[in-house]
Amino acid sequence: MKVVVVGGGPAGLITGLRLIEKGISPLVIERRGDMSSTACAEGCDAASLGEIPFDSSPYVSKYIEGTRFFFPKGYSFSSSRKGVVLDRSRWLRGMAKEFVERGGEIKNARVTAVYENEIVLGNGERVNYDILIGADGPFSLVSKYLGNKQEVLLAVQYKIECDTSDMNLMELYFDRRFSSHYSWVFPKSGMVNAGLAGDFSQLDDFVDFLGIEGKIIKKEAGAIPVSGIANKVAEGKIALIGDAASMTNPLSGGGLTPIIHASSILAANIDNLKNYEREVKKHQLASPALVKAKNLLMKLTNRELEEMGRMVDGRTFEEMRFSDILGMMRHPLLIPKMFTLGRGLVITMKWGW
Ligand SMILES: Cc1cc2nc3c(=O)[nH]c(=O)nc-3n(C[C@H](O)[C@H](O)[C@H](O)COP(=O)(O)OP(=O)(O)OC[C@H]3O[C@@H](n4cnc5c(N)ncnc54)[C@H](O)[C@@H]3O)c2cc1C
């Protein structure tokens, strides 16, 4: 069976490694000659990362003890779910090398057109396939071929050189002065990834507010799909995975954890793609509750966020009970927002944001 994967980002390579485990050696077609990463804050849930059939530990820049959620006026609560911040470009190159060593093939080319039985590359070459996997990111050509449309949030990020020796949490800021979704600071070894959904002038304000002093060594921008899993994830001989299938958790913006889970479902159903679509859509990370929670989050004013922060201040996610959320729902400003947000947060924290 000739399996061709368009895109050698996390979705393409992790799926490729999973298929090799099943005895199938796919061809991955990637347009970036250096296999570098697209814009990413590089955070990943530690438990999910451990499920990939590849040792990611040499590519971890920092181990993370948990996440702190900040609200206006400095209120915060935290979670102790463990994470990592990766050196994502090195990680992708490491996976690509291992993929080839285990029998996979990578071709450096841009796919310019998709047809029922073949794809066309930038140099005019035609490549036929038995199964085509679209892992070509948020503006996926393969997804467009299937007729999908998706909504994306534009996000920007600086990599700032600074001392991170005493930083071991991922920080998320819910504050409308900076972003209509949220802003983040993820520590790596010797630098932080500071970013937000928004533009660079908003990011400058955020970095000033944080008081981070250090040299900006990279400016990045990218798109995060937030409309929930694509309408068509598979049709005929074609399947989608990752941002191409809009699999990102819309509430957290995290795309790596959904890819890790979906790649396992895809490899198990490679000879029955409709089943892959059914199974992946049943996954809690594809739940419409997450889109609902994201839509609500983006409507909250700073006054509401501050109230929410006041109620959860100093607590941890792990010690919170459903009855706490019910109690918060009685708050005149927050009815019934806490339930919708709480449900989204519970799914996110269960699977890893
Ligand atoms: C600023 C920002 C921060 C983020 N931070 C995090 C985070 O901390 N944690 C997290 O889990 N998620 C994060 N995300 C989301 C995460 O980066 C994505 O969900 C993830 O990269 C999706 O992987 P993918 O392989 O599906 O797509 P991509 O990473 O976009 O990879 C697609 C690949 O396909 C290639 N390609 C595209 N078109 C073609 C073509 N026509 N021919 C050949 N090759 C092609 C591209 O070059 C690329 O290498 C962030 C996103 C952004 C924008």
Side-chain angles (χ1 to χ4, degrees), residues 237-311:
K237 302 190 237 172
I238 302 180
L240 303 173
I241 186 159
D243 281 10
S246 196
M247 279 177 182
T248 327
N249 176 336
L251 183 60
S252 70
L256 297 177
T257 294
I259 287 170
I260 294 167
H261 295 291
S263 60
S264 154
I265 303 173
L266 177 52
N269 290 285
I270 195 69
D271 40 17
N272 186 347
L273 297 182
K274 268 291 155 200
N275 209 36
Y276 161 61
E277 178 173 72
R278 257 192 307 278
E279 290 300 316
V280 85
K281 284 191 170 183
K282 266 195 233 157
H283 198 286
Q284 255 194 320
L285 283 172
S287 162
L290 292 166
V291 182
K292 215 171 150 190
K294 182 271 300 178
N295 290 340
L296 179 62
L297 172 67
M298 292 188 70
K299 283 194 197 120
L300 292 180
T301 63
N302 252 15
R303 173 98 204 284
E304 289 166 325
L305 286 167
E306 184 189 321
E307 250 345 277
M308 215 169 260
R310 195 194 306 276
M311 293 165 107

Coordinates of all heavy atoms in Angstrom, one line a residue, residues 237-311:
K237 N -9.9 8.0 -0.5 CA -8.6 7.5 -0.2 C -7.8 8.6 0.6 O -6.6 8.5 0.7 CB -7.8 7.2 -1.4 CG -8.5 6.2 -2.3 CD -7.5 5.8 -3.4 CE -7.7 5.9 -4.7 NZ -6.7 5.7 -5.7
I238 N -8.5 9.6 1.1 CA -7.8 10.7 1.7 C -8.2 10.9 3.1 O -9.4 10.9 3.5 CB -8.1 12.0 0.9 CG1 -7.6 11.9 -0.6 CG2 -7.4 13.2 1.5 CD1 -7.9 13.1 -1.5
A239 N -7.2 11.2 4.0 CA -7.5 11.5 5.4 C -6.7 12.7 5.8 O -5.6 13.0 5.2 CB -7.1 10.3 6.3
L240 N -7.2 13.4 6.8 CA -6.5 14.6 7.3 C -6.1 14.4 8.8 O -6.8 13.7 9.5 CB -7.4 15.9 7.3 CG -8.0 16.2 5.9 CD1 -9.0 17.3 6.1 CD2 -6.9 16.7 4.9
I241 N -5.0 15.1 9.2 CA -4.6 15.1 10.6 C -4.0 16.4 11.0 O -3.4 17.1 10.1 CB -3.7 13.8 10.9 CG1 -3.4 13.7 12.4 CG2 -2.4 13.9 10.1 CD1 -3.0 12.4 12.9
G242 N -4.0 16.7 12.3 CA -3.4 17.9 12.8 C -4.1 19.2 12.4 O -5.3 19.2 12.2
D243 N -3.4 20.2 12.2 CA -4.0 21.5 11.8 C -4.8 21.4 10.5 O -5.7 22.2 10.3 CB -2.9 22.6 11.7 CG -2.5 23.2 13.1 OD1 -2.9 22.5 14.1 OD2 -1.8 24.2 13.2
A244 N -4.3 20.5 9.6 CA -5.1 20.4 8.4 C -6.5 19.9 8.6 O -7.4 20.3 7.8 CB -4.3 19.3 7.5
A245 N -6.7 19.2 9.7 CA -8.1 18.8 10.1 C -8.6 19.7 11.2 O -9.6 19.3 11.8 CB -8.0 17.3 10.6
S246 N -8.0 20.8 11.5 CA -8.4 21.7 12.5 C -8.6 21.0 13.8 O -9.6 21.2 14.5 CB -9.8 22.4 12.0 OG -10.0 23.5 12.7
M247 N -7.6 20.2 14.2 CA -7.7 19.4 15.4 C -7.3 20.1 16.7 O -7.4 19.6 17.8 CB -6.9 18.1 15.3 CG -7.6 17.1 14.5 SD -6.5 15.6 14.3 CE -7.6 14.6 13.3
T248 N -6.7 21.3 16.5 CA -6.2 22.0 17.7 C -7.3 22.2 18.7 O -8.5 22.4 18.3 CB -5.8 23.4 17.2 OG1 -5.3 23.4 15.9 CG2 -4.8 24.0 18.2
N249 N -7.0 22.1 20.0 CA -8.0 22.3 21.0 C -8.3 23.9 21.0 O -7.4 24.7 21.3 CB -7.4 21.9 22.4 CG -8.3 22.3 23.5 OD1 -9.1 23.2 23.4 ND2 -8.1 21.6 24.6
P250 N -9.5 24.2 20.6 CA -9.8 25.7 20.4 C -9.6 26.5 21.7 O -9.3 27.7 21.7 CB -11.2 25.7 19.9 CG -11.7 24.4 19.9 CD -10.7 23.4 20.4
L251 N -9.8 25.8 22.8 CA -9.8 26.5 24.1 C -8.3 26.8 24.5 O -8.0 27.9 24.9 CB -10.4 25.7 25.2 CG -10.5 26.4 26.6 CD1 -11.3 27.7 26.5 CD2 -11.1 25.5 27.6
S252 N -7.4 25.8 24.3 CA -6.0 26.0 24.7 C -5.1 26.4 23.6 O -4.0 26.9 23.8 CB -5.5 24.7 25.3 OG -5.4 23.7 24.2
G253 N -5.6 26.2 22.3 CA -4.7 26.4 21.2 C -3.6 25.4 21.0 O -2.8 25.4 20.1
G254 N -3.6 24.3 21.9 CA -2.6 23.3 21.8 C -2.9 22.3 20.7 O -4.0 21.8 20.6
G255 N -1.9 22.1 19.8 CA -2.2 21.2 18.7 C -1.4 19.9 18.8 O -1.8 18.9 18.1
L256 N -0.4 19.8 19.7 CA 0.4 18.6 19.7 C -0.3 17.4 20.3 O -0.3 16.3 19.8 CB 1.8 18.9 20.4 CG 2.6 20.0 19.7 CD1 3.9 20.2 20.5 CD2 3.0 19.5 18.3
T257 N -0.9 17.7 21.5 CA -1.6 16.6 22.1 C -2.7 15.9 21.3 O -2.7 14.7 21.1 CB -2.2 17.1 23.5 OG1 -1.1 17.4 24.3 CG2 -3.0 16.0 24.2
P258 N -3.6 16.7 20.6 CA -4.6 16.1 19.7 C -3.9 15.3 18.6 O -4.4 14.2 18.2 CB -5.3 17.3 19.1 CG -5.2 18.4 20.1 CD -3.8 18.2 20.7
I259 N -2.8 15.8 18.1 CA -2.1 15.0 17.0 C -1.6 13.7 17.5 O -1.8 12.6 16.8 CB -0.9 15.8 16.5 CG1 -1.3 17.0 15.6 CG2 0.1 14.9 15.7 CD1 -0.2 18.0 15.2
I260 N -1.1 13.7 18.7 CA -0.5 12.4 19.3 C -1.7 11.4 19.4 O -1.5 10.2 19.0 CB 0.2 12.7 20.6 CG1 1.4 13.5 20.4 CG2 0.5 11.4 21.3 CD1 2.1 14.2 21.6
H261 N -2.8 11.8 19.9 CA -4.0 10.9 20.0 C -4.5 10.5 18.7 O -4.8 9.3 18.4 CB -5.1 11.5 20.9 CG -4.6 11.7 22.3 ND1 -4.3 10.7 23.2 CD2 -4.3 12.8 23.0 CE1 -3.9 11.1 24.3 NE2 -3.9 12.4 24.3
A262 N -4.7 11.5 17.8 CA -5.3 11.2 16.5 C -4.4 10.3 15.6 O -4.9 9.4 14.9 CB -5.6 12.5 15.7
S263 N -3.1 10.4 15.7 CA -2.2 9.6 14.9 C -2.3 8.1 15.3 O -2.2 7.3 14.4 CB -0.7 10.1 15.0 OG -0.3 10.0 16.4
S264 N -2.5 7.9 16.5 CA -2.7 6.5 16.9 C -4.0 5.9 16.3 O -4.0 4.8 15.8 CB -2.7 6.4 18.5 OG -3.4 5.4 19.0
I265 N -5.1 6.7 16.3 CA -6.3 6.3 15.7 C -6.2 6.1 14.2 O -6.7 5.1 13.6 CB -7.5 7.3 16.1 CG1 -7.6 7.5 17.6 CG2 -8.8 6.9 15.5 CD1 -8.6 8.6 18.0
L266 N -5.5 7.0 13.6 CA -5.3 6.9 12.1 C -4.5 5.7 11.7 O -4.9 4.9 10.8 CB -4.6 8.2 11.6 CG -4.3 8.2 10.1 CD1 -5.5 7.9 9.3 CD2 -3.7 9.6 9.7
A267 N -3.4 5.4 12.5 CA -2.6 4.2 12.1 C -3.4 3.0 12.3 O -3.3 2.0 11.5 CB -1.3 4.2 13.0
A268 N -4.2 2.9 13.4 CA -5.0 1.7 13.6 C -6.1 1.5 12.5 O -6.6 0.4 12.4 CB -5.7 1.8 15.0
N269 N -6.5 2.6 11.9 CA -7.6 2.5 10.9 C -7.1 2.9 9.5 O -8.0 3.3 8.7 CB -8.7 3.5 11.3 CG -9.4 3.0 12.6 OD1 -10.2 2.0 12.5 ND2 -9.1 3.6 13.7
I270 N -5.9 2.6 9.2 CA -5.3 3.1 7.9 C -6.0 2.4 6.7 O -6.1 3.0 5.6 CB -3.8 2.9 7.8 CG1 -3.2 3.7 6.7 CG2 -3.4 1.5 7.8 CD1 -3.3 5.2 6.8
D271 N -6.6 1.2 7.0 CA -7.3 0.6 5.9 C -8.8 0.8 6.0 O -9.6 0.1 5.2 CB -7.0 -1.0 5.8 CG -6.9 -1.6 7.2 OD1 -7.4 -0.9 8.1 OD2 -6.3 -2.7 7.3
N272 N -9.2 1.7 6.8 CA -10.7 2.0 6.9 C -10.8 3.5 7.4 O -11.0 3.7 8.6 CB -11.4 1.0 7.9 CG -12.9 1.2 8.0 OD1 -13.4 2.2 7.4 ND2 -13.6 0.3 8.6
L273 N -10.6 4.4 6.4 CA -10.5 5.8 6.8 C -11.8 6.4 7.3 O -11.8 7.3 8.1 CB -10.0 6.6 5.6 CG -8.6 6.2 5.1 CD1 -8.2 7.1 3.9 CD2 -7.5 6.3 6.2
K274 N -12.9 5.8 6.9 CA -14.2 6.3 7.4 C -14.3 6.0 8.9 O -14.8 6.8 9.7 CB -15.4 5.7 6.7 CG -15.8 6.5 5.5 CD -16.5 7.8 6.0 CE -16.4 8.9 4.9 NZ -16.6 10.3 5.4
N275 N -13.7 4.8 9.3 CA -13.7 4.5 10.7 C -12.8 5.4 11.5 O -13.1 5.8 12.6 CB -13.2 3.0 10.9 CG -13.8 2.4 12.1 OD1 -15.0 2.7 12.4 ND2 -13.1 1.6 12.8
Y276 N -11.7 5.8 10.9 CA -10.8 6.8 11.5 C -11.6 8.1 11.8 O -11.5 8.6 12.9 CB -9.6 7.1 10.5 CG -8.9 8.4 10.8 CD1 -8.2 8.6 12.1 CD2 -8.8 9.4 9.9 CE1 -7.6 9.8 12.3 CE2 -8.1 10.6 10.1 CZ -7.5 10.8 11.4 OH -6.9 12.0 11.6
E277 N -12.3 8.5 10.8 CA -13.1 9.8 10.9 C -14.1 9.6 12.1 O -14.1 10.5 13.0 CB -13.8 10.1 9.6 CG -14.7 11.4 9.8 CD -15.3 11.8 8.5 OE1 -16.2 11.2 8.0 OE2 -14.9 12.9 8.0
R278 N -14.8 8.5 12.1 CA -15.8 8.3 13.2 C -15.1 8.3 14.5 O -15.5 9.0 15.5 CB -16.4 6.9 13.0 CG -17.8 7.0 12.4 CD -18.6 5.7 12.5 NE -17.9 4.6 11.9 CZ -17.8 4.3 10.6 NH1 -18.5 5.0 9.7 NH2 -17.2 3.2 10.2
E279 N -14.0 7.5 14.7 CA -13.3 7.4 16.0 C -12.7 8.7 16.4 O -12.8 9.1 17.6 CB -12.3 6.3 15.9 CG -12.8 4.9 15.7 CD -13.7 4.5 16.9 OE1 -13.3 4.7 18.0 OE2 -14.8 3.9 16.6
V280 N -12.1 9.4 15.5 CA -11.4 10.6 15.9 C -12.4 11.7 16.3 O -12.2 12.5 17.3 CB -10.4 11.1 14.8 CG1 -11.0 11.9 13.8 CG2 -9.2 11.8 15.5
K281 N -13.6 11.7 15.7 CA -14.6 12.7 16.1 C -15.2 12.4 17.4 O -15.8 13.2 18.0 CB -15.6 12.8 14.9 CG -15.1 13.6 13.8 CD -16.2 13.9 12.8 CE -15.7 14.9 11.8 NZ -16.7 15.4 10.8
K282 N -15.1 11.1 17.8 CA -15.7 10.7 19.1 C -14.8 11.1 20.2 O -15.2 11.1 21.4 CB -15.8 9.2 19.1 CG -17.2 8.7 18.7 CD -17.3 7.2 19.1 CE -17.7 6.3 18.0 NZ -17.3 4.9 18.2
H283 N -13.5 11.4 19.9 CA -12.6 11.7 21.0 C -13.0 13.0 21.7 O -13.5 13.9 21.1 CB -11.2 11.9 20.4 CG -10.1 11.8 21.4 ND1 -9.8 12.8 22.3 CD2 -9.2 10.8 21.6 CE1 -8.8 12.5 23.1 NE2 -8.4 11.3 22.7
Q284 N -12.8 13.0 23.0 CA -13.2 14.2 23.8 C -12.5 15.5 23.3 O -13.1 16.6 23.4 CB -12.9 14.0 25.3 CG -14.1 13.6 26.1 CD -13.9 13.8 27.6 OE1 -12.8 13.4 28.0 NE2 -14.8 14.3 28.3
L285 N -11.3 15.4 22.8 CA -10.6 16.6 22.3 C -11.3 17.2 21.1 O -10.9 18.3 20.7 CB -9.1 16.3 22.0 CG -8.3 16.2 23.3 CD1 -6.9 15.7 23.0 CD2 -8.2 17.5 24.0
A286 N -12.2 16.4 20.5 CA -12.9 17.0 19.3 C -14.3 17.5 19.7 O -15.2 17.8 18.9 CB -13.1 15.9 18.2
S287 N -14.5 17.5 21.1 CA -15.9 17.9 21.6 C -16.3 19.3 21.2 O -15.5 20.2 21.4 CB -15.9 17.7 23.1 OG -16.9 18.4 23.6
P288 N -17.5 19.5 20.7 CA -18.0 20.9 20.5 C -17.9 21.8 21.8 O -17.9 23.0 21.7 CB -19.4 20.7 20.0 CG -19.5 19.3 19.6 CD -18.5 18.5 20.4
A289 N -17.9 21.1 22.9 CA -17.9 21.8 24.2 C -16.6 22.8 24.3 O -16.6 23.8 24.9 CB -17.8 20.9 25.4
L290 N -15.6 22.3 23.6 CA -14.3 23.1 23.6 C -14.5 24.4 22.7 O -14.0 25.5 23.1 CB -13.1 22.3 23.1 CG -12.7 21.2 24.1 CD1 -11.8 20.2 23.5 CD2 -12.1 21.8 25.4
V291 N -15.2 24.3 21.6 CA -15.4 25.5 20.8 C -16.3 26.4 21.5 O -16.1 27.6 21.6 CB -16.1 25.0 19.4 CG1 -16.3 26.3 18.6 CG2 -15.3 24.0 18.7
K292 N -17.3 25.9 22.2 CA -18.3 26.7 23.0 C -17.5 27.5 24.1 O -17.7 28.7 24.3 CB -19.3 25.8 23.6 CG -20.7 26.3 23.7 CD -21.7 25.3 24.1 CE -22.8 25.9 24.9 NZ -23.6 24.9 25.5
A293 N -16.6 26.7 24.8 CA -15.9 27.4 25.9 C -15.0 28.5 25.3 O -14.8 29.5 25.9 CB -15.1 26.3 26.6
K294 N -14.3 28.2 24.2 CA -13.5 29.2 23.5 C -14.3 30.5 23.2 O -13.8 31.6 23.4 CB -12.8 28.6 22.3 CG -11.8 29.5 21.6 CD -12.3 30.3 20.5 CE -13.0 29.7 19.3 NZ -13.6 30.6 18.3
N295 N -15.4 30.2 22.5 CA -16.3 31.4 22.1 C -16.7 32.2 23.3 O -16.6 33.5 23.3 CB -17.5 30.9 21.4 CG -17.2 30.4 20.0 OD1 -16.1 30.7 19.5 ND2 -18.0 29.5 19.4
L296 N -17.0 31.5 24.4 CA -17.4 32.3 25.6 C -16.2 33.0 26.2 O -16.3 34.2 26.6 CB -17.9 31.3 26.6 CG -18.4 31.9 27.9 CD1 -19.5 32.9 27.7 CD2 -18.8 30.8 28.9
L297 N -15.1 32.3 26.3 CA -13.8 32.9 26.8 C -13.5 34.2 26.1 O -13.2 35.2 26.8 CB -12.7 32.0 26.7 CG -11.3 32.5 27.1 CD1 -11.2 32.8 28.6 CD2 -10.2 31.6 26.7
M298 N -13.7 34.2 24.8 CA -13.3 35.4 24.0 C -14.3 36.6 24.2 O -14.0 37.7 23.8 CB -13.1 35.0 22.5 CG -11.9 34.1 22.4 SD -11.4 33.8 20.7 CE -10.8 35.4 20.2
K299 N -15.4 36.3 24.8 CA -16.4 37.3 25.0 C -16.3 37.9 26.4 O -16.9 39.0 26.7 CB -17.8 36.8 24.8 CG -18.2 36.6 23.4 CD -19.7 36.4 23.3 CE -20.1 35.8 21.9 NZ -20.7 34.5 22.0
L300 N -15.5 37.3 27.3 CA -15.4 37.8 28.7 C -14.7 39.1 28.8 O -13.7 39.3 28.1 CB -14.7 36.7 29.6 CG -15.4 35.4 29.8 CD1 -14.6 34.5 30.7 CD2 -16.8 35.6 30.4
T301 N -15.2 40.0 29.6 CA -14.6 41.3 29.8 C -13.6 41.2 30.9 O -13.6 40.2 31.6 CB -15.6 42.3 30.2 OG1 -16.2 41.9 31.5 CG2 -16.8 42.5 29.2
N302 N -12.7 42.2 31.0 CA -11.7 42.1 32.1 C -12.4 42.1 33.5 O -11.9 41.5 34.4 CB -10.8 43.3 32.0 CG -9.4 42.8 31.5 OD1 -9.3 41.7 31.0 ND2 -8.4 43.6 31.7
R303 N -13.6 42.7 33.6 CA -14.3 42.7 34.8 C -14.7 41.3 35.2 O -14.5 40.9 36.3 CB -15.5 43.7 34.6 CG -16.5 43.7 35.7 CD -16.3 44.9 36.6 NE -16.9 44.7 37.9 CZ -18.2 44.7 38.2 NH1 -19.0 45.0 37.2 NH2 -18.6 44.4 39.4
E304 N -15.2 40.6 34.2 CA -15.6 39.2 34.5 C -14.4 38.3 34.7 O -14.4 37.4 35.6 CB -16.4 38.6 33.3 CG -17.8 39.3 33.1 CD -18.4 39.0 31.8 OE1 -17.7 39.0 30.8 OE2 -19.7 38.9 31.8
L305 N -13.3 38.5 34.0 CA -12.1 37.7 34.2 C -11.6 38.0 35.6 O -11.1 37.1 36.3 CB -11.0 38.1 33.2 CG -11.3 37.5 31.7 CD1 -10.4 38.1 30.7 CD2 -11.2 36.0 31.7
E306 N -11.6 39.2 36.0 CA -11.1 39.6 37.4 C -11.9 38.9 38.4 O -11.4 38.3 39.4 CB -11.2 41.1 37.5 CG -10.6 41.6 38.8 CD -11.0 43.1 39.0 OE1 -10.9 43.9 38.1 OE2 -11.3 43.4 40.2
E307 N -13.3 38.9 38.2 CA -14.2 38.2 39.2 C -13.8 36.7 39.3 O -13.8 36.1 40.4 CB -15.6 38.4 38.7 CG -16.5 39.3 39.5 CD -16.0 39.7 40.9 OE1 -16.2 38.9 41.9 OE2 -15.4 40.7 41.1
M308 N -13.6 36.1 38.1 CA -13.3 34.7 38.0 C -12.0 34.5 38.8 O -11.9 33.5 39.6 CB -13.2 34.4 36.6 CG -13.6 33.0 36.2 SD -13.6 32.9 34.4 CE -15.4 33.2 34.1
G309 N -11.0 35.3 38.5 CA -9.7 35.2 39.1 C -9.8 35.3 40.6 O -9.2 34.5 41.4
R310 N -10.7 36.2 41.1 CA -10.8 36.4 42.6 C -11.4 35.1 43.2 O -11.0 34.7 44.3 CB -11.8 37.5 42.8 CG -11.9 38.1 44.2 CD -13.1 39.0 44.5 NE -13.2 40.0 43.5 CZ -12.6 41.2 43.6 NH1 -11.8 41.5 44.5 NH2 -12.9 42.1 42.6
M311 N -12.3 34.4 42.5 CA -12.9 33.2 43.1 C -12.0 32.0 43.1 O -12.2 31.1 43.9 CB -14.2 32.9 42.3 CG -15.2 33.9 42.4 SD -16.4 33.7 41.2 CE -17.7 33.1 42.1

